[in-house]
Amino acid sequence: TIPSSTAGMVKTVLVIGSQKIDFHAIFKDQKLSFDGEPIRVEQAPWELISVTSYSDSGAVVTIDPHPNPIPFTNQGTRRTVTVDFVLFRGGTRGTFHQDFRNLLLALMYVNLPSINSLQAFYDCQEKPLLYRKLLQVQKRLGTLEFPLVPQTFHPDHKAMYFLPEFPVVVKVGTASGGVGKMKLMDQSQ
């Protein structure tokens, strides 16, 4: 639930991600169940957002106009809003050296509420941190109850002296969706 800090005011939900799903339509005419306050949706991808975080008053987000706004929304205009809740629908890094972790850190600075904790979302952006969390679960439950595919992490190519047995899958970079992955059958590849 979205915390109610100021009764009687509209609560702003910031949805960060693509335009594939119209969250304006999903939340249309919805109200908070515990006090009936209306919900306003602001939806934008990372690249259109800037954030300023204040320790005493929260996160203020400025959203630039979207080049292809969802019809019947305010996405075609520049707007500045105070955010009450955030819903992440995409990662913080893209395939072309895009990195929006600084914006995530600004949201974390004010401990903005979200579906999953901001720390969990941050950990999921960093594959080594995510695997570390999975290893902690495996240690607690045991390898039979929580099996994991063994992985090796090399922080850069200079550290790749000792390779595991072949074949291996090598992933370069942070992008998801299959970008930067290759299967190597032997060391000559």
Side-chain angles (χ1 to χ4, degrees):
T1 59
I2 301 169
S4 178
S5 57
T6 51
M9 299 193 58
V10 173
K11 295 300 180 188
T12 301
V13 176
L14 174 63
V15 180
I16 302 176
S18 76
Q19 303 281 88
K20 292 179 184 176
I21 298 172
D22 180 359
F23 283 92
H24 298 91
I26 291 172
F27 284 101
K28 185 179 180 188
D29 300 325
Q30 296 297 312
K31 297 184 184 307
L32 297 178
S33 61
F34 54 87
D35 60 10
E37 291 179 358
I39 298 171
R40 176 177 66 199
V41 172
E42 292 291 347
Q43 182 174 348
W46 286 107
E47 58 268 18
L48 297 181
I49 294 173
S50 63
V51 181
T52 303
S53 294
Y54 300 94
S55 62
D56 60 348
S57 57
V60 176
V61 176
T62 299
I63 306 169
D64 289 333
H66 198 286
N68 299 305
I70 295 173
F72 311 110
T73 69
N74 62 352
Q75 287 188 318
T77 62
R78 182 180 170 99
R79 54 227 187 266
T80 300
V81 296
T82 300
V83 178
D84 298 295
F85 192 85
V86 66
L87 174 61
F88 297 107
R89 301 296 298 164
T92 58
R93 287 194 252 176
T95 53
F96 301 106
H97 303 290
Q98 298 165 313
D99 188 348
F100 302 104
R101 288 177 295 170
N102 59 326
L103 300 176
L104 175 58
L105 292 172
L107 299 174
M108 292 174 76
Y109 177 78
V110 295
N111 201 26
L112 193 65
S114 63
I115 296 293
N116 294 317
S117 75
L118 296 178
Q119 184 64 52
F121 183 74
Y122 181 85
D123 287 350
C124 287
Q125 304 310 295
E126 304 291 339
K127 302 307 183 208
L129 296 180
L130 179 61
Y131 195 74
R132 177 196 70 187
K133 295 285 188 179
L134 293 172
L135 286 171
Q136 290 171 346
V137 173
Q138 184 184 57
K139 186 175 181 177
R140 191 175 73 245
L141 298 178
T143 56
L144 292 176
E145 292 294 319
F146 197 79
L148 292 172
V149 174
Q151 295 185 10
T152 303
F153 173 69
H154 300 287
D156 58 41
H157 70 281
K158 295 180 240 168
M160 296 179 70
Y161 292 116
F162 303 102
L163 295 175
E165 293 183 26
F166 288 93
V168 297
V169 174
V170 176
K171 179 165 175 40
V172 179
T174 60
S176 59
V179 178
K181 294 179 189 172
M182 62 197 108
K183 181 178 180 181
L184 303 177
M185 297 305 290
D186 58 46
Q187 200 160 0
S188 67
Q189 292 183 307

